[in-house]
Amino acid sequence: MIPVLCGEMTTLFKYARDRNSTNCMLDSTETLTIENVVGTAGIGQEIDLQRLAIDLEGADYDPDNFPGIIHRLQGAKPTVLLFRSGKMVCTGGGSVTSMHNAFDIAFDRLRTLGIPVDESPDVVIQNLVMSGDLGNQLNLNAVAIGLGLEQVEYEPEQFPGLIFRVDDPDVVALLFGSGRIVVTGAKSPEDGRNGMKTITTQLNELDLLES
């Protein structure tokens, strides 16, 4: 299970708060939208970051504060991180397509600088964050009891949402009293939708979706 860190929870709460609404829809999965896609790739060789930072447009390299190059793509939301090992991480993509496009741009720029990169390096989605709306308000105290303390974390004095770990698919959901939901840890959009279906089914079976 991918852990939900405190810093991430603050960001995820912002997703839920900013997108708050009361969408009463028969299929709540239709409300899910992708907020962030984190993917990884590699070029199979070490990179001289000091030299690359000089030649690569949009590169920010401060090894005292971060061990890799932060490569911000002009006109694109995603950011690509490059590490000495040759590993690359893309974050901030609003879709799977934008993540792949960001990697393609970075690969092309490395090739232009004389760094050999395979024609189609493997790109793997590590974490996909989606937000949506269950269409009804939730009594989080009742939800915590109904879903079982083994899979639930709920400490409202520290964080206003309930953390629910879904077994299949392997995702983490943040539930808010407004009915907003954030699904994280998904490896694909389908994982996110299936996770929300699982949650909705369990809440309905327990009669915990308030009208």
Side-chain angles (χ1 to χ4, degrees):
M1 177 64 62
I2 296 178
V4 179
L5 303 178
C6 292
E8 292 176 327
M9 289 166 63
T10 301
T11 303
L12 297 175
F13 174 52
K14 181 178 183 299
Y15 290 149
R17 182 193 63 197
D18 291 350
R19 302 179 71 92
N20 189 29
S21 62
T22 54
N23 295 321
C24 297
M25 302 181 68
L26 293 177
D27 184 0
S28 57
T29 62
E30 295 180 4
T31 70
L32 282 174
T33 57
I34 295 176
E35 301 290 355
N36 186 26
V37 182
V38 178
T40 57
I43 63 172
Q45 62 179 299
E46 290 193 354
I47 303 173
D48 183 343
L49 297 182
Q50 194 73 47
R51 180 175 178 180
L52 179 60
I54 297 173
D55 298 330
L56 183 62
E57 180 183 359
D60 183 2
Y61 183 49
D62 184 355
D64 291 333
N65 293 316
F66 185 72
I69 288 177
I70 301 173
H71 183 31
R72 295 181 174 86
L73 308 179
Q74 185 175 3
K77 183 179 177 182
T79 297
V80 176
L81 311 176
L82 300 98
F83 298 91
R84 188 174 304 279
S85 64
K87 180 179 179 180
M88 302 169 66
V89 176
C90 179
T91 185
S95 69
V96 175
T97 299
S98 68
M99 178 202 67
H100 281 284
N101 289 342
F103 271 127
D104 287 341
I105 292 171
F107 294 149
D108 286 342
R109 290 182 178 178
L110 292 178
R111 294 184 187 105
T112 300
L113 294 174
I115 298 175
V117 179
D118 291 343
E119 183 177 348
S120 299
D122 290 335
V123 174
V124 179
I125 296 176
Q126 298 295 340
N127 185 23
L128 191 148
V129 179
M130 305 177 76
S131 69
D133 199 314
L134 293 168
N136 302 91
Q137 293 186 348
L138 297 174
N139 181 333
L140 295 183
N141 287 312
V143 171
I145 296 172
L147 293 179
L149 299 180
E150 299 82 6
Q151 293 179 282
V152 167
E153 292 182 27
Y154 182 48
E155 299 181 13
E157 67 278 3
Q158 296 186 18
F159 181 69
L162 178 147
I163 303 171
F164 178 42
R165 289 177 168 79
V166 182
D167 290 330
D168 187 19
D170 187 9
V171 298
V172 174
L174 306 183
L175 306 178
F176 298 88
S178 63
R180 294 298 299 177
I181 181 172
V182 176
V183 179
T184 183
K187 301 297 186 181
S188 68
E190 189 65 21
D191 276 353
R193 288 189 288 269
N194 288 336
M196 189 161 185
K197 287 179 181 177
T198 297
I199 294 163
T200 302
T201 298
Q202 292 190 39
L203 293 177
N204 277 324
E205 289 176 349
L206 296 168
D207 198 24
L208 291 174
L209 283 176
E210 301 177 351
S211 58

